Amino acid sequence: MAGESDLRKLLSGMRPELNPGRYVYCTLSARVPVGLQPIVTVAEPEGPTVVVAQEEADALGLPYEYVAAWITLRIHSALEAVGLTAAVATRLAEENISCNVVAGFHHDHLFVAAADAERAVATLERLAASQSRDEGAPAR
C-alpha cells in the first residue's frame, strides 16, 4: 500500500498518538548492548545513537540528558512526501516545543520534551483540524 503524499491530506489525517512511557537519547561508544531494545538507532561516526525507554537506559546505567515523549502520526505517509516534517516542526516551534522527527516506512514519529507532550499533541490536533476545515476550500 502506497503512502499518502498530498500535504493537506497528511496534515488533516495525521491523528497524533502519544505512546506510553518516556524515552531518552543515548550515545554509545561501541555497538548496541545485547538485550537493549532501541526504538531508533542511528549510526554516527562518533558512535551509535539510540532512543530507548528511559527504564532501559536506567537499568543499564546509560547516560542521557534529554527525556522525551514519543508521538506517532498515525497516517501512512509516503517517504517522498514533501512538507509534512516542515509543517509539523514549524507549528511546534511556534509553541516553543522542540521536536526530533524520525521517519519510519509507514509513519512519522516525533520525540518532544516529555514535559511538553500533552501540549504538543493538542497543537498537532489543532493543526489537523485546521487542515480538515480547509479541505473544502480551493487550493491557493
Side-chain angles (χ1 to χ4, degrees):
M1 178 170 111
E4 182 59 60
S5 59
D6 180 272
L7 181 57
R8 190 173 286 178
K9 289 179 183 175
L10 285 166
L11 292 171
S12 66
M14 65 179 151
R15 298 184 331 271
E17 179 180 301
L18 182 60
N19 295 288
R22 292 163 61 103
Y23 300 86
V24 297
Y25 280 70
C26 301
T27 186
L28 307 172
S29 59
R31 296 191 334 233
V32 176
V34 174
L36 187 68
Q37 297 182 10
I39 304 301
V40 177
T41 304
V42 179
E44 295 187 290
E46 301 85 355
T49 293
V50 294
V51 179
V52 298
Q54 185 177 16
E55 302 82 38
E56 283 190 73
D58 290 343
L60 291 172
L62 299 175
Y64 56 84
E65 296 174 13
Y66 181 74
V67 179
W70 172 18
I71 300 169
T72 300
L73 303 182
R74 298 305 308 171
I75 192 160
H76 180 181
S77 55
L79 290 169
E80 68 273 5
V82 175
L84 177 61
T85 299
V88 165
T90 297
R91 185 57 58 95
L92 291 173
E94 290 168 352
E95 297 295 325
N96 200 34
I97 299 171
S98 70
C99 177
N100 297 281
V101 181
V102 177
F105 185 84
H106 293 100
H107 305 285
D108 290 274
H109 305 272
L110 315 176
F111 292 89
V112 302
D116 293 329
E118 298 296 332
R119 197 162 57 93
V121 169
T123 297
L124 296 171
E125 288 172 341
R126 286 192 305 274
L127 175 58
S130 73
Q131 294 300 307
S132 294
R133 287 191 301 271
D134 292 345
E135 277 187 356
R140 294 180 209 134

